[in-house]
Amino acid sequence: MLMLFFPSFNYLPTPLFGSNDAGKEETVASYAKAVRRAAPAVVNVYTRSTLVDPRSLRPRTIERQELGSGVVMSAQGYILTNYHVVYGADHIEIALQDGRWLEAVLIGQDELTDLAVLYVQAENLPVIPQDTALDPQVGDVVLAIGNPLNLGQTITQGIISANGNTGLSSRGYIDFMRMDAAINRGNSGGALVNSNGTLVGINAAAFQLESQDIQGIFFAIPYQLALNVMQKLIKHGKVTRSHLGVSGDAVVNAAGDKLISSGQPLYGLSITAINDNGPAAEAGLQTGDIILAIDERRFDTVQQALNMIAETAPNTSLTLTINRSGQQLTINAVTRELRR
């Protein structure tokens, strides 16, 4: 007798173009939950500035209006936006999505990271979801929320294409997070969130070259960096960064061979240049020295080493462990405030 056995499948694929089951709602991909969590905390920012018109033969003032977005970071009324949105503003107002208009006070600003902190006095402010342990990855889906062209709150979607520097040694756009969620005029200072609605970054700008039509490269300040800067601006009114006056390359051995693959273990930072009269020069560091540790702490990347220095208070003595021509030494160098 011939017996036939048919395997039992517990998984049935979802139809791509509809279902034959009448009355059953199709499952659709949606970020509506993320938008509901994050969007109420993204505000519209309006600024006015009074300027003297240099083209007029008679002195007269003109009023300049700027448009941007902002993100409510705390129930106490602190809002993050971009430096370039509020720079030089005489009057700042924010509009919440619930219809409230509030006058804002500028607490502090940091040109290097293109960030500014505003303060408003109000109750029941919607606060953007945040996770200080968040570790965004290249390829993560992100949503940019803002008020482009003053058309009203708009959501654009993309992915993270490159992670940014989260330390204070950030050099502006070159170290920012890159993604392809569209940023237009008015989006600046808005929120970049993940598919859960958690803040990933503060939208900054689009990459533009006058001679080329470049699409799909947009910038955001990473959340950890933005939070760090915000806390310093609230506490001190400005952001101070330290430096030693050195530059260098990542190397993989005592011979000074450069790191060429992300899979290679880092040996240290080989000093290639030293600023005259800078802290490193005063401490006796030399080109060719390889920094192995800072205050007995190893680092995994050159950027991490620069962040460790930048985030140290000015006039602090750092113990540098170095390799000089095969000999391990310790040298003390006093950090100095980096001034633009």
Side-chain angles (χ1 to χ4, degrees):
M1 180 177 62
L2 178 64
M3 299 182 67
L4 299 178
F5 294 92
F6 295 93
S8 175
F9 295 96
N10 294 322
Y11 169 76
L12 294 176
T14 302
L16 294 177
F17 301 101
S19 171
N20 292 327
D21 297 329
K24 287 188 177 181
E25 185 177 348
E26 294 182 35
T27 300
V28 296
S30 174
Y31 302 112
K33 183 178 179 180
V35 172
R36 284 195 299 269
R37 292 187 71 207
V42 181
V43 302
N44 302 344
V45 178
Y46 299 93
T47 70
R48 293 198 304 271
S49 304
T50 302
L51 306 171
V52 176
D53 186 359
R55 298 168 298 178
S56 176
L57 295 177
R58 295 181 179 179
R60 69 184 184 94
T61 58
I62 57 176
E63 189 174 88
R64 183 188 68 184
Q65 293 185 334
E66 291 292 337
L67 166 70
S69 301
V71 181
V72 180
M73 297 292 290
S74 76
Q76 289 71 40
Y78 292 110
I79 296 172
L80 269 177
T81 187
N82 284 152
Y83 166 87
H84 75 262
V85 170
V86 298
Y87 174 71
D90 299 321
H91 184 77
I92 306 171
E93 284 186 299
I94 65 110
L96 281 81
Q97 302 309 312
D98 62 11
R100 285 183 286 175
W101 283 75
L102 301 170
E103 186 171 344
V105 176
L106 178 64
I107 298 298
Q109 51 193 338
D110 182 53
E111 183 180 2
L112 196 61
T113 53
D114 195 19
L115 286 171
V117 177
L118 307 177
Y119 172 76
V120 295
Q121 191 169 8
E123 296 181 351
N124 301 319
L125 288 171
V127 178
I128 196 83
Q130 299 168 60
D131 179 3
T132 55
L134 189 68
D135 184 22
Q137 301 295 311
V138 172
D140 285 355
V141 171
V142 286
L143 309 172
I145 309 176
N147 179 27
L149 308 175
N150 206 26
L151 295 173
Q153 193 172 82
T154 303
I155 319 294
T156 55
Q157 179 256 333
I159 63 169
I160 297 173
S161 55
N163 268 326
N165 173 32
T166 58
L168 289 183
S169 66
S170 173
R171 296 166 293 167
Y173 292 136
I174 191 172
D175 284 334
F176 285 177
M177 177 183 291
R178 297 194 295 275
M179 44 83 187
D180 65 344
I183 300 294
N184 294 293
R185 184 176 177 272
N187 269 114
S188 294
L192 187 72
V193 303
N194 63 17
S195 57
N196 290 324
T198 304
L199 187 64
V200 171
I202 302 297
N203 299 324
F207 185 78
Q208 295 177 339
L209 290 177
E210 294 182 1
S211 59
Q212 298 183 39
D213 182 15
I214 297 177
Q215 299 179 356
I217 304 177
F218 303 93
F219 294 95
I221 302 116
Y223 165 67
Q224 295 287 359
L225 174 59
L227 181 65
N228 190 351
V229 169
M230 182 185 77
Q231 291 171 341
K232 291 182 181 299
L233 289 175
I234 292 172
K235 186 175 182 179
H236 304 293
K238 66 175 185 176
V239 178
T240 58
R241 297 171 175 83
S242 294
H243 75 108
L244 290 178
V246 299
S247 57
D249 295 324
V251 296
V252 296
N253 54 37
D257 293 332
K258 291 183 181 181
L259 179 73
I260 58 174
S261 170
S262 59
Q264 291 178 282
L266 180 69
Y267 178 74
L269 169 62
S270 177
I271 298 176
T272 57
I274 298 178
N275 294 347
D276 294 337
N277 303 317
E282 292 177 357
L285 287 168
Q286 303 173 9
T287 56
D289 287 347
I290 300 175
I291 301 176
L292 305 175
I294 300 172
D295 275 350
E296 300 184 351
R297 292 181 295 163
R298 297 285 306 205
F299 43 87
D300 298 322
T301 65
V302 171
Q303 198 66 61
Q304 185 183 5
L306 296 176
N307 287 339
M308 290 165 66
I309 297 169
E311 293 171 10
T312 302
N315 304 315
T316 299
S317 179
L318 292 177
T319 300
L320 306 178
T321 304
I322 68 168
N323 180 310
R324 177 178 291 170
S325 301
Q327 183 181 5
Q328 187 164 304
L329 306 171
T330 57
I331 292 180
N332 291 325
V334 179
T335 61
R336 192 178 297 168
E337 183 177 347
L338 178 65
R339 300 183 184 277
R340 291 180 58 82

